[in-house]
Amino acid sequence: MEGRNSRQIPAKDINPGNSLSSLESSISTSLSREDILAIYNEGPDAVCAIILIQAARIVELEERVKSLEDQINKNSRNSSKPPSTDTFRKIKGQRKPSGRPVGGQKGHKGHTLEMAEKPDREIVHQVARCEFCGRSLCDVEATNYERRQVFDLPPIKVEVFEHQAESKICPNCGCLNKAAFPKEVAYPVQYGTRLKSVAVYLNQYQLVPFDRLSETFVDLFGHRLSQSTLIDANRTCYSILGPVEEDIKQQIIASPVICLDETGMRIEGKRKWCHVVSTENLTYYAANPHRGSEANEDMGILPVYSGTAVHDGWSSYFKFKCKHALCNAHHIRDLLFIHEEYKQNWAKDLIDQLIDIKETVDRRKPIHCNLDLAEINDFEDRYDHIIERAKLENPPPTTSNSQGPIKKRGKKKKTKAQNLLERLQKYRREVLAFMYDFEVPFDNNQAERDLRMMKVQQKISGNFRSWDGAKIFCRIRGYISTVKKNSSSVIDAIQGVFEGKPFIPQRTLIAV
């Protein structure tokens, strides 16, 4: 019985003189018994040709199955996929158990709630009658007090502060004199700086959407804010922060090491990009339609930057002439995948090598500014030795002849191991940059942490309705992140913006 997709193969199509590519296109994916007999009758060359075609097809399908299996087996532990994409199966983390009990360790300074020396309010509970004889004790003086304190919030409501400016006529010359209102009191009726700062704080920092924010104000303060009021508060904050953002940008350009990353951001229903450039105490965000070098040109940092840029290896970063360093957290995840899925031990050895270098650098940082030249050479030799071993296990793709698998046009596809190996060899100095310069971090976690809340905002709201909304969020959020990195109060810093006294990070003097 013939196969469902089978057909009779014309003898001319099985001519051994035909190319394997034409034979492959002339047969179906399933052969019937009659097809096989027809091929057999053409002789050994025709049989060999069909077997080669089928073998090539099997190899192609095996590669496709392996590719699909690799996609399924990738998770947040062995790839750059976020934890939110992990399946319900338990993902074993990279951290090794410490063996210590859960909770605060012995000697850890706790934060126990303790009694205040001077309470804000005192509530006295009186003894009215004697429990034994029933006599009134209202006029009897207390001999002792047992104290208990409750830490709580008083009821909060929006208060109205009326400002009155006096007018006086001078008795000497008759001139009418009027008192000046404070600078922040510019209109007959308006909201104060504290209320607006709380609204911006809840919306931009705590990511409370506008509708829920209006309800929050009603529940907490007994006053409803309109959505337009909230939008105006954000726009005002955004406008005032323009010079502050420029100052942060210039300080980043002057920094010896910066971290960069980007992530998807939906604006007006389409996928755009949010870029971050940051240091330990500075954060700069920018929304842009592009992901690559065009976005970095628009930001204006990398084109004039001369320090070391730490990133994940995205090719557009290498177009700029600054020094580069690659994130080894990415490398460790990729190497772990190669070790677990392809069973290649060199990958595990290179993970151990990178961690060994990191631990050595961490031990030396408090007392030295660099490693000894002998140590650097030893680490480099061990790194190169592992790479050479890996190349033997992953030889480059070879050009097949007429007796081998079917040759396809175009560049030969490389395996994941080959691509990773090529990258680790080509950018060895960038991979080991943290070993040569102690100011360079081992990974790019700084930028990834700074982008994390951007993804949280997208999960909550899903989309920015306009580019203005995205730009407002990026500028205010960059200011908030910078404030937090400098251990200042976020809500006080936002109030400072409305009062004309925004927080500006102090410039760090760089030793030459």
Side-chain angles (χ1 to χ4, degrees), residues 151-428:
F151 288 70
D152 203 352
L153 290 173
I156 305 173
K157 62 185 291 285
V158 174
E159 295 183 351
V160 179
F161 299 84
E162 181 174 288
H163 294 256
Q164 299 178 353
E166 291 182 334
S167 296
K168 293 182 179 180
I169 299 176
C170 177
N172 183 39
C173 65
C175 176
L176 178 62
N177 299 271
K178 292 184 178 181
F181 285 102
K183 184 179 180 181
E184 63 271 13
V185 183
Y187 305 99
V189 180
Q190 66 180 65
Y191 286 110
T193 57
R194 190 66 176 180
L195 185 145
K196 289 189 289 186
S197 62
V198 169
V200 173
Y201 171 87
L202 292 175
N203 179 240
Q204 299 291 310
Y205 180 47
Q206 300 298 344
L207 306 178
V208 181
F210 288 126
D211 291 341
R212 288 175 54 196
L213 185 52
S214 296
E215 296 177 3
T216 300
F217 262 78
V218 173
D219 294 337
L220 293 181
F221 312 124
H223 186 85
R224 180 177 294 277
L225 292 182
S226 66
Q227 183 168 325
S228 60
T229 299
L230 300 172
I231 293 175
D232 287 342
N234 284 335
R235 286 177 175 168
T236 302
C237 186
Y238 168 82
S239 178
I240 298 173
L241 284 176
V244 179
E245 183 183 55
E246 182 62 26
D247 188 272
I248 291 173
K249 178 178 175 180
Q250 294 304 318
Q251 289 195 48
I252 287 176
I253 291 174
S255 300
V257 178
I258 60 175
C259 297
L260 306 99
D261 204 355
E262 74 288 328
T263 189
M265 172 184 280
R266 295 195 65 81
I267 304 174
E268 296 178 342
K270 297 179 180 179
R271 187 183 187 185
K272 306 301 179 181
W273 298 92
C274 176
H275 295 258
V276 64
V277 187
S278 62
T279 67
E280 290 183 353
N281 65 330
L282 300 166
T283 304
Y284 179 88
Y285 295 111
N288 198 281
H290 307 287
R291 183 185 183 186
S293 57
E294 292 183 28
N296 287 293
E297 291 282 358
D298 293 341
M299 291 165 64
I301 294 178
L302 281 184
V304 297
Y305 184 65
S306 58
T308 302
V310 184
H311 51 81
D312 57 8
W314 182 243
S315 59
S316 61
Y317 292 128
F318 286 107
K319 296 180 180 179
F320 299 93
K321 296 181 179 180
C322 61
K323 292 177 284 186
H324 297 271
L326 295 181
C327 173
N328 284 299
H330 282 74
H331 295 148
I332 287 178
R333 289 194 293 262
D334 292 339
L335 289 166
L336 186 62
F337 181 81
I338 299 300
H339 174 65
E340 293 181 344
E341 300 301 322
Y342 291 85
K343 310 303 180 186
Q344 297 190 15
N345 291 329
W346 68 267
K348 180 63 169 60
D349 294 339
L350 190 53
I351 291 175
D352 295 339
Q353 169 74 351
L354 291 173
I355 293 177
D356 186 22
I357 299 174
K358 179 182 183 299
E359 291 175 348
T360 303
V361 169
D362 291 341
R363 287 195 303 269
R364 294 295 178 85
K365 274 184 181 180
I367 52 178
H368 295 289
C369 59
N370 58 347
L371 295 180
D372 296 334
L373 183 59
E375 289 179 304
I376 292 176
N377 291 335
D378 179 57
F379 283 134
E380 288 178 339
D381 291 342
R382 288 161 59 185
Y383 183 96
D384 293 339
H385 177 70
I386 295 173
I387 295 298
E388 292 302 319
R389 279 177 45 208
K391 289 168 66 175
L392 295 177
E393 290 190 50
N394 299 276
T398 57
T399 303
S400 54
N401 54 37
S402 59
Q403 301 300 321
I406 296 174
K407 180 180 179 181
K408 295 185 177 181
R409 293 181 179 180
K411 191 176 179 180
K412 180 68 175 178
K413 183 179 180 181
K414 298 178 182 178
T415 65
K416 288 179 171 55
Q418 289 170 338
N419 284 325
L420 177 60
L421 181 58
E422 182 180 296
R423 178 183 180 189
L424 293 171
Q425 184 178 23
K426 180 179 179 181
Y427 296 109
R428 185 190 73 166

Side-chain angles (χ1 to χ4, degrees), residues 482-501:
T482 300
V483 167
K484 282 186 61 64
K485 287 179 178 180
N486 288 272
S487 302
S488 296
S489 168
V490 173
I491 195 165
D492 289 344
I494 296 175
Q495 184 173 356
V497 174
F498 289 108
E499 293 176 350
K501 300 176 291 185

Side-chain angles (χ1 to χ4, degrees), residues 46-109:
V47 173
C48 291
I50 293 300
I51 291 176
L52 289 175
I53 293 172
Q54 294 294 337
R57 179 62 174 166
I58 290 171
V59 171
E60 180 183 347
L61 292 176
E62 286 178 343
E63 291 177 352
R64 184 178 179 186
V65 169
K66 181 59 179 173
S67 176
L68 294 174
E69 287 179 343
D70 289 347
Q71 292 181 29
I72 294 174
N73 292 329
K74 282 186 176 181
N75 52 57
S76 60
R77 176 174 171 266
N78 58 21
S79 72
S80 297
K81 294 182 66 177
S84 58
T85 62
D86 289 339
T87 57
F88 289 108
R89 60 182 177 177
K90 186 176 181 180
I91 304 299
K92 183 180 179 182
Q94 294 184 16
R95 293 184 180 179
K96 298 179 180 179
S98 63
R100 295 180 295 182
V102 178
Q105 304 301 309
K106 187 175 181 180
H108 169 70
K109 185 179 179 180

